[in-house]
């Protein structure tokens, strides 16, 4: 099980890195490449991008959007078709996004679990995912978390993919966790720490 996870994580890291290289090259941006393999190499690249573009949210969001589109393509998913699916089936796609994120993005954020909300009054219950200690946030820092993850992820999935998402980093003094809430019916309760 750990061997399979290690290979899947390595594959997804390599696909994401290659997607970022291709997106930057196509857009005529500087291509950031590290000789270090895996997650550490990817984080070296992300830190270099952030160092050069800290505070330039439009650049960081555009680079993320273009990289994610190519990441979807590399995984055999047409981003436009996926956006149409999310638009047509918003509740089901929120569920699908939560499940797929839980399975496929441990390579960048670490372990996650689905929140089981027992409050019957909360709309969108069970549409949240909690990351107990985010590896990306730990590596990039607080501002980098907001500028290179929270804002681009919310922008990309909400506006490009028609799949609304809210990202709520845990207050730093409490830890390095993060909550992702999927769908239009996300409750404030699900985002609270």
């Amino acid at each position: 099980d750990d061997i399979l996870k290690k290979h899947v994580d390595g594959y997804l890291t390599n696909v994401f890195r290659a997607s970022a290289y291709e997106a930057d090259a196509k857009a005529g941006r500087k291509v950031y490449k590290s000789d270090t393999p895996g997650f550490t190499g990817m984080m070296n690249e992300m830190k270099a991008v952030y160092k050069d573009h800290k505070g330039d949210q439009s650049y960081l969001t555009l680079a993320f959007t273009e990289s994610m589109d190519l990441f979807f393509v590399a995984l055999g998913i047409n981003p436009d078709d996926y956006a149409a699916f999310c638009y047509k089936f918003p509740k089901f796609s929120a569920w699908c996004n939560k499940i797929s994120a839980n399975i496929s993005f441990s390579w960048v954020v670490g372990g996650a679990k689905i929140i089981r909300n027992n409050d019957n009054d909360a709309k969108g219950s069970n549409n949240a995912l909690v990351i107990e200690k985010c590896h990306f946030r730990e590596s990039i820092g607080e501002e980098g978390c907001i500028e290179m993850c929270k804002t681009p992820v919310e922008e990309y999935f909400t506006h490009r993919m028609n799949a609304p998402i809210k990202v709520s980093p845990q207050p730093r003094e409490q830890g390095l966790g993060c909550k992702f809430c999927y769908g239009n019916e996300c409750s404030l309760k699900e985002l609270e720490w």
Side-chain angles (χ1 to χ4, degrees):
D1 189 40
D2 286 339
I3 292 172
L4 177 62
K5 182 185 177 314
K6 190 174 184 178
H7 286 293
V8 169
D9 289 354
Y11 171 75
L12 292 172
T13 301
N14 291 337
V15 170
F16 185 80
R17 289 175 79 180
S19 299
Y21 304 154
E22 185 179 345
D24 288 341
K26 281 183 175 180
R29 294 187 296 261
K30 179 180 177 182
V31 176
Y32 295 85
K33 284 190 177 183
S34 169
D35 292 332
T36 307
F39 180 79
T40 302
M42 182 186 76
M43 288 313 303
N44 290 343
E45 295 159 0
M46 298 291 242
K47 288 175 185 176
V49 169
Y50 189 59
K51 181 181 174 202
D52 287 354
H53 299 283
K54 184 177 181 177
D56 186 353
Q57 193 61 63
S58 61
Y59 176 94
L60 296 172
T61 300
L62 179 62
F64 178 85
T65 296
E66 292 170 347
S67 296
M68 283 302 295
D69 272 358
L70 291 171
F71 182 71
F72 271 92
V73 168
L75 296 176
I77 301 167
N78 180 311
D80 294 327
D81 291 345
Y82 191 73
F85 165 77
C86 291
Y87 180 77
K88 190 167 185 169
F89 304 104
K91 288 185 180 185
F92 183 63
S93 69
W95 181 83
C96 290
N97 288 329
K98 172 189 65 182
I99 298 299
S100 65
N102 190 34
I103 294 167
S104 63
F105 282 100
S106 64
W107 61 274
V108 72
V109 298
K113 65 182 178 183
I114 294 169
I115 295 174
R116 298 288 181 211
N117 186 343
N118 294 323
D119 181 356
N120 292 331
D121 295 329
K123 287 186 173 183
S125 65
N126 297 331
N127 274 345
L129 189 68
V130 66
I131 299 153
E132 293 175 5
K133 183 179 179 185
C134 179
H135 298 187
F136 181 84
R137 183 177 176 192
E138 182 177 36
S139 297
I140 201 80
E142 297 307 302
E143 290 178 3
C145 165
I146 301 300
E147 291 187 39
M148 293 191 73
C149 182
K150 178 187 182 337
T151 302
V153 165
E154 288 178 344
E155 182 71 22
Y156 180 76
F157 283 97
T158 301
H159 300 289
R160 167 70 174 106
M161 288 300 182
N162 298 310
I165 184 172
K166 296 285 185 205
V167 180
S168 176
Q170 184 177 31
R172 181 65 175 109
E173 61 277 3
Q174 294 177 20
L176 292 168
C178 194
K179 288 183 182 177
F180 285 64
C181 189
Y182 299 85
N184 285 320
E185 297 178 351
C186 209
S187 74
L188 293 177
K189 184 172 186 164
E190 288 173 306
L191 293 171
E192 288 175 359
W193 282 95

